[in-house]
Amino acid sequence: MVLPAEEGRLITSSVRVLVATAVPVERDAVARAFPGPVRETVLPSVTVHEVAGGPGLLAAGVGPALAAASTAAALTAADLDGRPYGLVVSAGIAGGFPPHAPLGSLVVADEITAADLGAETADGFLPVTDLGFGTVTHRPPAALVRAAATAAGALTGTVLTVSTVTGTAARAAELRARHPRALAEAMEGFGVAEAAAAHGVPVLEVRAVSNPVGPRDRAAWSIGDALSALTEGFGKLAPVLESWNRHDRHEQ
C-alpha cells in the first residue's frame, strides 16, 4: 500500500521507526537527515518529534534506566494509538576504543551489551547472567546490521552500555579485555534494547564517535564532528530502513 506523497517524499505503509537518543542535540542531529517537517507529539510522559516521511524521534534521557523507561512509554503510547513502532534505533554520540573506532567514525552495533551489570568479586567481574539472572546482550537483526553498515560506511562490533563513563586507561583496558570486540561505549543502548525487547520489537544501535574511551580529556573531544557524522550517517541509512521495513523484517 502506498500513501500520498508529502513534502516531496513518498510515504509508504511500512513499519514505523522510533529513534531514541539521549539528549535533544542528538535527536536534532538525526532530524536534520530528513527533509520533511517535524511535528511535536506530547504524550503523558514523553515527547516524540515525528518527521514527515521519516522516523519518530525521542530524546529519551541519559543512562540506561531513563532511556528504557522513556522508550517503553513511547512504544506503549504508539501501541495504544493503533500505530505501533516496528523498529527501535538507539542513536547518538559515543566514546570509541582507540585505535579501532577513531573520532568521527560511525559504529553499528551487532551486539548491544551491558558492560557493568553484574557483580564485582575477588576473582573479577561477573555479568548478571553468571549470577543466574536476566540478559546482558541484545543482538540486532544481522541482515539489518550488514545493510546499515554497508550503506553508511560504518564499523560493526559490540557497543557497550555503561552507567559510569570510562575515565581511566585502566578501566578502558579492562573493558576491552572483557569485551574484545567492543568498538564504543555509551549510556543508553541496552536500556533502549530492553524496552524494545519487552514489546517484541527489534532494535538497532548507531553511534558516532566523539571522543576516545579512556582518560577524560575534553580538549580531545570532537562533539560537533560526531553530530555531523550522525546526520550524514542517517541520511545514508534512510533507504536501508525503508527497504528493511518492507521486506527484510520478515526474515530476521
Side-chain angles (χ1 to χ4, degrees), residues 17 29 43 65 83-84 132 152-153 155 162 173 199 201 235 237-239:
V17 177
L43 302 173
R83 299 192 308 138
L155 304 166
V162 295
H199 282 258
V201 178
L237 285 173

Side-chain angles (χ1 to χ4, degrees), residues 180-246:
R181 298 184 64 255
L183 294 180
E185 71 164 27
M187 301 182 74
E188 294 77 33
F190 185 79
V192 172
E194 286 279 83
H199 282 258
V201 178
V203 68
L204 185 70
E205 184 167 12
V206 180
R207 294 284 173 177
V209 175
S210 59
N211 59 277
V213 176
R216 290 176 65 80
D217 178 10
R218 293 187 67 91
W221 294 5
S222 187
I223 292 176
D225 288 345
L227 292 171
S228 295
L230 193 64
T231 301
E232 181 181 354
F234 267 87
K236 296 175 180 177
L237 285 173
V240 172
L241 297 178
E242 291 174 4
S243 174
W244 182 81
N245 281 339
R246 291 194 298 270

Side-chain angles (χ1 to χ4, degrees), residues 10 18 25 28 33 65 73 80 87 91 96-97 116 138 148 154 174 177 184 197 222 233 241 243 248:
L10 186 67
L18 177 67
V25 69
D28 295 344
L80 293 175
L87 174 66
F97 286 92
D116 50 13
H138 290 278
E174 176 189 345
S222 187
L241 297 178
S243 174
D248 298 333

Side-chain angles (χ1 to χ4, degrees), residues 125-214:
F125 179 82
L126 289 179
V128 72
T129 47
D130 285 8
L131 304 176
F133 304 105
T135 185
V136 292
T137 295
H138 290 278
R139 293 176 176 84
L144 179 58
V145 170
R146 289 193 299 270
T150 298
L155 304 166
T156 58
T158 302
V159 175
L160 303 179
T161 299
V162 295
S163 294
T164 301
V165 172
T166 300
T168 66
R171 173 66 170 167
E174 176 189 345
L175 288 176
R176 275 288 293 184
R178 291 211 315 259
H179 306 281
R181 298 184 64 255
L183 294 180
E185 71 164 27
M187 301 182 74
E188 294 77 33
F190 185 79
V192 172
E194 286 279 83
H199 282 258
V201 178
V203 68
L204 185 70
E205 184 167 12
V206 180
R207 294 284 173 177
V209 175
S210 59
N211 59 277
V213 176

